[in-house]
Amino acid sequence: MFTALGKMFREWQGLQAFKRVPREERTLVFYSEGRGYWTYFESIYNALQASHSTPILYVTSAENDPLLENPLPGMRAFYIGEGSMRTLFFATLDTDVLLMTMPDLQSFHIKRSPFSVHYAYLHHSIVSTHMIYRPAAFDHFDSILCVGPHHIEETRAREKLLDLPRKVLVKHGYGRLDMILESGRQGPPERYGAPFQVLVAPTWGENGLIERHGLDAIKPLIDAGLKVVLRPHPRTRKLAPAKLDEIVAHYQHEPRFRLDEDSDATTSLLDSDIMLSDWSGAALEFSLGLERPVIFVDVPRKILNSEYPAIGIEPIEVQARRQLGIVVPTDELAELGGIACAMAADSKKWQETASDRRRGWVYNVGQSGETAAAYLVSLIK
C-alpha cells in the first residue's frame, strides 16, 4: 500500500513540476511510454539541438527512465507514470506540439486536451498501420511522421474510405533504422570459428511465437550448436511470464543461451547472424538495417483490426516475409536448427535484396532526424 502511495506521490510531483514550467517555455513536448522508446526520439532530439537549439520537455511513464536522473542538454524531464496522473496530464496539456509514439489517441482514456495542441504521431515500427493496430489508432492525430510510402498510402486510403479529415503526412523515415545503419555493421558478422548466433525476437500476444510455442522454438537451435539470444517483447514479460521463466529455467546452465530483456538490446541485434521472428516489426529493423536474413515462423497473423482488408492494401509485413527471409510452418519447428545454419552460412545473398527494399520502403535514410526536427520547429508558435 505504502509503495503504491509513494509511487503515486512521485507521479503527482512530476505532473506539478511540468505544470510549473511557464507556458512560453512549453513549446515542444516528447511523451515516452517507457524507457525503451527513447531510441525512436533520439535522432530527432539530436537534430533539434544541433540545427535548431530547440529545448524539449521530456515526459515519461517509466520510473526507471535514465533520462530522469540524467537529462540531456536542452531537456527537462518529468515522470508521470501510466495511471491517473498520465490521464490528467493529457486532459490538461497546454503546449504547442506534442510528439508521441503511443497510438489510439482519443479512443480510450487518453484524450486530446481542450487547448490548442498539435498532436504529432511518431511511428515506432516500420510495419503497416491497418492490420496490427486498432482501426482508429491514428485517426485523431494532426500529423503523422511516416516511415515510408506504405504509411501514406494506407492512411490516405482509410481517410477516403471513412471520409475522415486529411492529416498532415510527413515523409519522415525511421530514426532507429538510421542508428542501426550508423553502426556500419551491415552484412554477416565475422565469426572466426565461433558458432552462429540467432536472435529470437518475436511479437507479443496470444498468437506470438513464445506464447504459442515456447521451448519448441528454442530447442532446435540450441541442439544444432547455435548460440541463442532470446529478446522477448516487454508485453510478453507482462502477459506471459511463465513461458519465459520456463525457457530460462530449462537453459539456466546452457552457456549458448541468453535472455536479453534490455529495452534497447542493440548489442544483441548487431551481434546476431540471423533473426527468428513471427510478425514482429523488429524483423524489418534487423533485415533492413543489418542486411541479414530472417526466419519467419508462420504463426497466425497479429490482427487488431479485423477489417483491415477493406482498404485493399497488403500490409508491408506480409510482403517482407516473402522478400527478406523464409517462412517456416509451425509443424516444421524441429527443422529450425538446420534452416538457421544454412541461412546464416549463406547470408551474403540476402544483402542486396535488403538494401534494395530499404531504398524503396523507407524515406530519408540517414536523415530522418533532420527532416522531423525541421517540421516540428515549423509548428512552434
Side-chain angles (χ1 to χ4, degrees), residues 116-137:
S116 180
V117 177
H118 184 103
Y119 291 83
Y121 182 79
L122 173 64
H123 275 289
H124 63 274
S125 179
I126 301 172
V127 300
S128 285
T129 59
H130 58 305
M131 184 172 79
I132 73 164
Y133 292 97
R134 295 181 181 90

Side-chain angles (χ1 to χ4, degrees), residues 89-335:
F89 164 78
F90 275 93
T92 59
L93 180 62
D94 187 8
T95 182
D96 292 348
V97 184
L98 174 67
L99 180 67
M100 58 192 288
T101 60
M102 185 172 67
D104 298 307
L105 179 67
Q106 203 71 12
S107 294
F108 300 104
H109 57 291
I110 302 300
K111 307 290 187 184
R112 293 177 63 108
S113 88
F115 296 99
S116 180
V117 177
H118 184 103
Y119 291 83
Y121 182 79
L122 173 64
H123 275 289
H124 63 274
S125 179
I126 301 172
V127 300
S128 285
T129 59
H130 58 305
M131 184 172 79
I132 73 164
Y133 292 97
R134 295 181 181 90
F138 311 106
D139 287 354
H140 298 281
F141 289 92
D142 299 297
S143 61
I144 298 177
L145 276 59
C146 299
V147 171
H150 58 292
H151 282 165
I152 291 183
E153 183 183 9
E154 295 154 8
T155 305
R156 291 294 184 227
R158 177 171 172 80
E159 290 172 347
K160 183 177 180 180
L161 182 68
L162 299 178
D163 195 26
L164 299 173
R166 286 172 64 89
K167 290 171 280 296
V168 176
L169 301 183
V170 181
K171 294 180 178 180
H172 170 225
Y174 195 54
R176 177 161 172 77
L177 181 65
D178 290 344
M179 293 176 66
I180 294 170
L181 289 168
E182 285 174 10
S183 71
R185 297 278 297 275
Q186 287 68 48
E190 293 290 343
R191 282 289 163 227
Y192 305 108
F196 293 124
Q197 178 169 297
V198 180
L199 179 61
V200 181
T203 189
W204 62 276
E206 62 179 358
N207 290 325
L209 180 62
I210 296 303
E211 287 85 345
R212 278 209 162 206
H213 299 284
L215 273 171
D216 290 339
I218 307 294
K219 189 175 185 300
L221 303 173
I222 295 292
D223 290 349
L226 298 163
K227 292 177 66 176
V228 174
V229 177
L230 172 59
R231 194 188 83 180
H233 193 284
R235 295 294 296 274
T236 298
R237 169 55 71 189
K238 287 184 178 181
L239 302 175
K243 284 286 187 179
L244 293 177
D245 293 342
E246 177 189 18
I247 296 170
V248 172
H250 189 84
Y251 287 115
Q252 59 181 320
H253 302 301
E254 173 52 69
R256 285 182 288 107
F257 174 83
R258 180 167 63 88
L259 177 71
D260 186 353
E261 294 191 87
D262 187 304
S263 54
D264 185 356
T266 299
T267 299
S268 295
L269 193 83
L270 296 178
D271 290 345
S272 296
D273 298 85
I274 193 167
M275 179 180 282
L276 177 68
S277 191
D278 44 24
W279 292 98
S280 173
L284 277 71
E285 297 174 5
F286 179 82
S287 180
L288 299 181
L290 296 174
E291 299 171 0
R292 301 174 194 168
V294 179
I295 300 174
F296 298 93
V297 177
D298 201 22
V299 298
R301 294 187 182 192
K302 184 177 180 181
I303 300 173
L304 291 183
N305 175 17
S306 60
E307 299 178 0
Y308 78 91
I311 68 169
I313 300 172
E314 184 178 57
I316 197 168
E317 57 268 33
V318 178
Q319 303 174 45
R321 289 158 71 89
R322 297 193 298 264
Q323 301 180 43
L324 301 178
I326 64 171
V327 180
V328 175
T330 55
D331 60 2
E332 296 180 14
L333 292 181
E335 309 301 320

